[in-house]
């Protein structure tokens, strides 16, 4: 049987921009994506700590070192620049994999640096 578990989490990133006139998605610094084991075009949940909004979108890879977290398209109405967000990805795990299973957690500081 397959069970759905947290694959990875980027915790307490600061929204650097929002672009209502873009097609959709969230753009995230490529270095942070790699550390979090999240791939471009992957579906993610976005949890806004400031206002409680929760929504799904997909990831676009941003420029390495940019520290960018830009929410695009219709989702831009759900966040504001400066909001703290959590980004979660998920995966399916077999029962045999559960014993040693641990998600990847990337903590982010006030300046969008990985800590």
């Amino acid at each position: 049987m397959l069970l759905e578990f947290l694959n990875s989490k980027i915790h307490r990133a600061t929204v650097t921009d929002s672009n209502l006139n873009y097609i959709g998605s969230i753009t995230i610094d490529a270095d942070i994506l790699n550390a979090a084991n999240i791939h471009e075009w992957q579906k993610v949940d976005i949890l806004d700590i400031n206002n409680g909004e929760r929504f799904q979108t997909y990831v676009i890879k941003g420029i390495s070192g940019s520290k960018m977290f830009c929410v695009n398209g219709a989702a831009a109405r759900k966040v504001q620049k400066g909001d703290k967000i959590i980004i979660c990805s998920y995966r399916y795990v077999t029962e045999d994999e559960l014993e040693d299973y641990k998600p990847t957690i990337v903590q982010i500081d006030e300046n969008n640096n990985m800590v």
Side-chain angles (χ1 to χ4, degrees):
M1 171 177 19
L2 292 176
L3 304 166
E4 190 172 19
F5 279 81
L6 181 69
N7 176 56
S8 57
K9 175 171 77 165
I10 301 171
H11 190 73
R12 295 189 64 82
T14 302
V15 174
T16 57
D17 200 5
S18 61
N19 184 350
L20 183 61
N21 295 312
Y22 192 79
I23 297 168
S25 68
I26 183 169
T27 306
I28 301 173
D29 179 313
D31 296 335
I32 297 171
L33 286 178
N34 290 336
N37 192 28
I38 297 175
H39 304 280
E40 188 168 35
W41 312 116
Q42 186 172 355
K43 181 171 79 171
V44 292
D45 285 344
I46 309 296
L47 318 172
D48 189 310
I49 295 168
N50 294 76
N51 64 23
E53 285 283 354
R54 299 172 70 96
F55 56 93
Q56 291 182 334
T57 191
Y58 62 92
V59 172
I60 291 179
K61 189 182 294 187
I63 297 168
S64 292
S66 67
K67 302 177 188 174
M68 173 186 285
F69 289 88
C70 180
V71 179
N72 302 305
R77 294 202 184 273
K78 296 183 173 282
V79 301
Q80 292 184 8
K81 185 176 178 179
D83 281 2
K84 294 288 184 188
I85 58 173
I86 299 168
I87 299 124
C88 297
S89 70
Y90 304 91
R91 67 178 283 189
Y92 290 101
V93 179
T94 65
E95 289 185 33
D96 293 338
E97 295 173 298
L98 286 178
E99 186 174 330
D100 298 320
Y101 184 76
K102 289 193 177 153
T104 301
I105 309 294
V106 176
Q107 297 277 348
I108 304 292
D109 71 10
E110 294 294 317
N111 298 308
N112 282 346
N113 295 305
M114 293 181 278
V115 294

